[in-house]
Amino acid sequence: MRQIALYGKGGIGKSTTAANLSAAFAERGLKVLQIGCDPKHDSTRMLMHGANIPTVLDLVRERGVEPITPHEVVFLGFQDVRCVEAGGPEPGVGCAGRGIIATFQLLEKLEALEGDVVVYDVLGDVVCGGFAMPMREGYAEEVYLVTSGELMSLYAANNICKAIARLARHGRSKCRLGGVICNSANTHPREQELVEEFARRIGSALMGFIPRDRMVQLAELHKQTVFEYAPTSKQAQIYRTLAVSILENGSLTIPIPLETDQLETLALAYI
Amino acid sequence: MEGCTILGALSVTTGVKDALSIVHGPNGCAHHNFSLLHATLATDTDSRFPHIVSTHLSEDDIIFGGEEALERAIREGLERDVGGIFILNTCIVDTIGDDTAAVCRKSWRVPVIYLPTAGFLGGGFSRGMLNALQTLAIHAKPREKVPRAVSLIGEKNLEYEVEENYTEISRLLESLGLHVYLRFVRDITIADLTEISRSGLNILREPELMPLGDLLRQRYGTPFVDRFPRGFIGTLTFLQDVARTLGIPCEDAVAYEMEHQTRVLAKFQDLEGIAVHLGRDTSNSFLREMVDLLGMFERNDGIHLPIPIPEPVGTGGVERLFHHWRRTICASL
Ligand SMILES: Nc1ncnc2c1ncn2[C@@H]1O[C@H](COP(=O)(O)OP(=O)(O)O)[C@@H](O)[C@H]1O
Ligand SMILES: [Mg+2]
C-alpha cells in the first residue's frame, strides 16, 4: 500500500490535484482511498459529483458513543475512488487538530485504511500536532508539497519541510519528502524555474508542473474532476503523467528547510 | 513543587457554603481535587462534602468545543438550591480556547462567576488561591463601614488548626473591642461576599496576600494588617499594629496579653535547661525566640524538636506548640 500526503498553503490547489491524481491512479486499476483532512471538507467533492459527503466528525458529533460503520463514512466516488472527509468543529471553537487524530483512530478501528493507494489531502499549514497526524508512523510515508511560485506558498511548503525534518529526527518515523508539485498561479514567467530551484535547495525534486488551465474551473462548474469532464484534455494528460511520476518515484528524502531570508533571496532571484 | 492552581482556587470557592463549583474539564480534574478537599475538610469539625461537579468533558467536547457541556452543567447546577456558581477552567479548555467568560456572562438566575485557573498558564496552589480571592473580592460596592468590624482575608482552609487560629484572632481582636465581621472566604454565603466592603480593617493570613490587601484598600478604602500574629513578641506587635491602623488605644490589651503569655510560660517550667536541636534551619528567629523563652538551649546532640508548618498563630498557637514539644521531649527522655 502506498500512502501519500499532499500538503500546501490553503487555496493552492491541493484538493484539485489530489482528486485528479486519485482518478488517475484509479484509471490504472489501483484501489484508491482519498481522505480529506481539512476542516473545509471539500477534498472529495469533485470525485463525489458535487455532493458534500457526511464527515467523520459530523457522525461522531451526532452519534456520540453509538458505533459507526465503515459504509457511513466511506463513499464511492468517480471510478470507485473511496472518499472520506474528516471534517471538523464549527469554525472558531474546539480543536480541529484533535479532530484529525480522532478521525484517524476511528478509521483504524473501522479498518477503513486500505487499498493500493491512500491519498491524504491535508490542510495548508501544520498549525499544531493534529495536522501532522498523517505524517505519523503507520500513515503517509511520502509527502508531496503543492506550491506555486508565490512566496507565501513556498513559505508554507518550507514550514512543512520543517515538520518532516523534525519527525525524521525521531528515529522511528518513516515519513519522508517525496517531492514538490508546482501548481501554477501564473505568478511570473520563471515560476517553474523558481519552484524547481526551491525543490533542489530543500534536497528534493520537482515532480511535475501543472499549468493554470481554464479546464479546471470548467470541470469544477460541472462538479467533476478534469479526468471525468475532459478525459482526453491536455490537463488530464498532465495529471496522468504526474500520477506515473509519483508511482515510479523512488527518491524519498529528509528535507533541509530553508531560513526565511534564504527563501526570500531565492524568490527575489527569479522575479 | 506546588499543587495545581485549580486546587488553590477550589480551596476558596468551596468556602462559600451555598455555591457550587463547576470544574470545566474532564472528570478526573474535578474528582482528584474533590477527594483532596474532602479528605482535608473531613478532619475538620464538620464533614460536609465540598460542592464540586465536573462538566465531564470527553474527546468529542474537546474537538467540537466544550461550551455546550458547560452550559448543561450550569443548568443542572441551577436545579439545585444554589446561591451562586463558580466556574473553574482546566488546562484543556484553555488550550482549545473555550470562551468560558462569555458563557458566564449570559443571564443566569444566580451569579455565575468565572475563575481563570488553568494550571499550565503558570503559578501553583497559592496563585490559584490569590486569584480566586481577588475575583471574589470585586463583587462588592463601597458602603459605609460597620463599627469595629474586622475581616479575615485568605484563611488557609486546608491547613490544620484553621479554626483554632480563627478563635485566637477573635480573642485578640475582642481584647481591643473589635470583632470578626467576615471570614473571606470561609463558611460564608454568596450574599456575604458583598459585605467585604463594610469592614473597617482587613487582616491578611500572610504577607503573600498583599496584592489582595492593596486591592481591597483601593476599592473599598479598607486598611489592612499584612499577617496573622506569630510568636509572643509578634502577637504583641500584632495588637499594636491593629490598634495603630484603626487609631484606637491598645495599652490595656497589650498589658493583658503579656500577663497571659507569662502565665502560659509558667506552665512549661519543666522544659527549662533541656538540650534541643532544631534541625537544619536554625536561622528561624521565631523558633529561636521560643526555645529561649522556655529556657532550653540548642546543641547538636539535643532532642530533635518538630518544626511546625505553618507557624503557630498567636499566643494560643505557641501554647499548642509547647505542648507538642513537651510530648516529643517526654517521649525521648
Ligand atoms: N491548475 C489549476 N488551474 C486552474 N485552477 C485551479 C488549478 N488548481 C486549482 N485551481 C482552482 O483553485 C481553487 C482552489 O483549489 P483547491 O484545490 O480547492 O485548493 P486547496 O485544496 O489547496 O485549498 C479551486 O477553485 C480550483 O478550481
Ligand atoms: Mg482543499
Side-chain angles (χ1 to χ4, degrees):
Chain A
M1 183 165 77
R2 289 283 291 273
Q3 300 199 76
I4 290 164
L6 265 58
Y7 276 89
K9 196 192 117 172
I12 199 65
K14 296 178 295 294
S15 299
T16 307
T17 310
N20 282 292
L21 280 176
S22 288
F25 294 141
E27 191 184 56
R28 301 176 66 85
L30 298 169
K31 281 201 213 131
V32 186
L33 171 67
Q34 179 166 327
I35 306 178
C37 303
D38 187 330
K40 208 164 67 163
H41 67 87
D42 62 352
S43 171
T44 60
R45 244 188 87 206
M46 295 306 122
L47 290 167
M48 293 304 305
H49 302 122
N52 276 317
I53 59 174
T55 71
V56 174
L57 291 175
D58 279 343
L59 263 126
V60 169
R61 178 163 27 197
E62 283 160 23
R63 286 298 170 74
V65 288
E66 269 176 66
I68 292 167
T69 55
H71 71 265
E72 291 174 297
V73 289
V74 184
F75 295 84
L76 274 194
F78 174 62
Q79 271 176 4
D80 287 348
V81 172
R82 291 157 63 242
C83 301
V84 173
E85 290 286 348
E90 295 281 306
V93 293
C95 181
R98 186 69 220 178
I100 300 292
I101 296 172
T103 300
F104 276 53
Q105 284 167 351
L106 185 73
L107 292 175
E108 289 273 18
K109 214 173 83 189
L110 299 180
E111 292 175 355
L113 289 174
E114 45 143 19
D116 301 316
V117 187
V118 183
V119 178
Y120 300 93
D121 173 13
V122 196
L123 175 124
D125 293 286
V126 197
V127 286
C128 72
F131 290 97
M133 190 69 188
M135 296 193 247
R136 296 243 194 112
E137 212 192 331
Y139 303 113
E141 290 179 358
E142 36 194 312
V143 169
Y144 291 90
L145 302 173
V146 183
T147 182
S148 70
E150 194 221 0
L151 181 62
M152 280 305 117
S153 78
L154 287 169
Y155 183 81
N158 192 53
N159 273 346
I160 293 146
C161 290
K162 287 183 189 165
I164 301 171
R166 174 188 302 273
L167 276 170
R169 280 202 295 273
H170 304 311
R172 274 166 62 193
S173 169
K174 291 198 198 115
C175 181
R176 298 289 180 267
L177 180 60
V180 179
I181 298 167
C182 180
N183 193 39
S184 173
N186 281 344
T187 44
H188 41 77
R190 298 176 69 196
E191 185 181 23
Q192 180 170 354
E193 280 175 73
L194 167 60
V195 177
E196 212 157 6
E197 178 60 13
F198 168 74
R200 203 184 60 74
R201 292 280 289 276
I202 59 171
S204 187
L206 186 68
M207 297 300 297
F209 177 83
I210 308 171
R212 199 157 185 84
D213 191 330
R214 246 187 88 244
M215 192 59 83
V216 175
Q217 264 97 49
L218 274 176
E220 204 169 84
L221 286 171
H222 288 84
K223 300 183 169 43
Q224 286 172 1
T225 54
V226 175
F227 248 81
E228 189 173 3
Y229 179 69
T232 56
S233 64
K234 219 176 104 207
Q235 193 75 358
Q237 196 49 48
I238 281 165
Y239 288 121
R240 271 189 198 98
T241 315
L242 180 62
V244 173
S245 315
I246 288 176
L247 287 176
E248 287 172 357
N249 185 20
S251 151
L252 301 177
T253 60
I254 298 174
I256 312 139
L258 302 182
E259 299 295 332
T260 308
D261 53 344
Q262 291 178 306
L263 197 60
E264 282 166 358
T265 317
L266 179 68
L268 262 178
Y270 287 86
I271 278 294
Chain B
M1 222 164 34
E2 215 191 344
C4 183
T5 38
I6 212 163
L7 180 61
L10 280 169
S11 79
V12 172
T13 59
T14 54
V16 182
K17 289 185 286 195
D18 59 343
L20 174 69
S21 297
I22 297 181
V23 175
H24 185 26
N27 246 331
C29 293
H31 183 264
H32 173 75
N33 288 300
F34 175 91
S35 313
L36 251 157
L37 285 161
H38 183 48
T40 316
L41 300 174
T43 64
D44 225 319
T45 38
D46 69 313
S47 63
R48 275 176 302 151
F49 285 108
H51 294 296
I52 301 174
V53 296
S54 166
T55 51
H56 301 281
L57 294 194
S58 64
E59 186 180 23
D60 294 357
D61 297 306
I62 300 314
I63 297 168
F64 302 118
E67 291 171 27
E68 266 177 44
L70 177 59
E71 289 193 29
R72 207 180 315 126
I74 295 175
R75 279 195 300 273
E76 281 167 19
L78 290 173
E79 284 167 19
R80 307 180 184 197
D81 188 22
V82 291
I85 295 180
F86 298 112
I87 311 294
L88 297 94
N89 266 6
T90 60
C91 293
I92 185 68
V93 300
D94 259 312
T95 306
I96 66 170
D98 267 8
D99 197 347
T100 305
V103 174
C104 293
R105 274 196 304 272
K106 291 190 171 181
S107 60
W108 301 103
R109 186 167 59 74
V110 299
V112 176
I113 300 166
Y114 163 58
L115 292 101
T117 44
F120 77 105
L121 295 176
F125 182 93
S126 10
R127 174 92 74 85
M129 182 174 160
L130 178 62
N131 282 350
L133 288 167
Q134 286 179 327
T135 309
L136 269 53
I138 57 174
H139 292 276
K141 291 195 176 62
R143 282 158 73 193
E144 83 284 8
K145 303 288 183 192
V146 174
R148 309 189 161 273
V150 177
S151 292
L152 307 187
I153 309 296
E155 282 179 87
K156 294 180 173 183
N157 290 328
L158 301 188
E159 79 184 358
Y160 299 121
E161 308 203 327
V162 58
E163 283 308 315
E164 286 87 343
N165 294 344
Y166 164 64
T167 310
E168 177 68 357
I169 302 285
S170 301
R171 182 184 70 81
L172 292 169
L173 290 175
E174 272 157 31
S175 74
L176 289 165
L178 306 167
H179 64 272
V180 175
Y181 181 67
L182 185 68
R183 301 176 73 182
F184 193 85
V185 171
R186 184 172 173 82
D187 216 10
I188 60 172
T189 64
I190 280 274
D192 290 337
L193 290 176
T194 60
E195 294 295 313
I196 188 63
S197 57
R198 307 197 64 196
S199 56
L201 174 73
N202 291 327
I203 297 175
L204 313 184
R205 172 65 185 88
E206 55 188 6
E208 283 72 18
L209 296 172
M210 210 94 89
L212 178 59
D214 285 331
L215 177 97
L216 293 167
R217 185 172 52 197
Q218 278 155 21
R219 285 184 88 95
Y220 312 125
T222 319
F224 65 86
V225 168
D226 72 359
R227 70 190 75 196
F228 279 15
R230 187 180 92 150
F232 278 6
I233 298 169
T235 303
L236 302 178
T237 334
F238 174 79
L239 289 170
Q240 287 160 347
D241 285 348
V242 170
R244 185 170 1 89
T245 313
L246 288 173
I248 59 173
C250 67
E251 291 74 20
D252 290 354
V254 171
Y256 171 81
E257 193 60 22
M258 282 173 80
E259 282 168 32
H260 178 55
Q261 291 177 349
T262 313
R263 279 196 300 274
V264 168
L265 263 185
K267 293 194 225 168
F268 296 92
Q269 274 169 353
D270 55 313
L271 300 184
E272 204 179 314
I274 292 180
V276 296
H277 182 56
L278 287 172
R280 277 172 295 134
D281 188 17
T282 46
S283 62
N284 189 320
S285 65
F286 159 75
L287 291 172
R288 267 282 156 63
E289 184 201 339
M290 297 300 104
V291 168
D292 286 351
L293 277 172
L294 289 168
M296 305 193 293
F297 64 95
E298 274 188 79
R299 210 169 61 196
N300 276 346
D301 62 348
I303 298 169
H304 199 97
L305 289 185
I307 295 173
I309 301 171
E311 286 163 345
V313 169
T315 307
V318 170
E319 188 173 351
R320 281 195 304 282
L321 174 65
F322 286 175
H323 278 295
H324 190 179
W325 278 358
R326 180 192 269 150
R327 283 197 298 278
T328 311
I329 289 167
C330 290
S332 54
L333 279 180

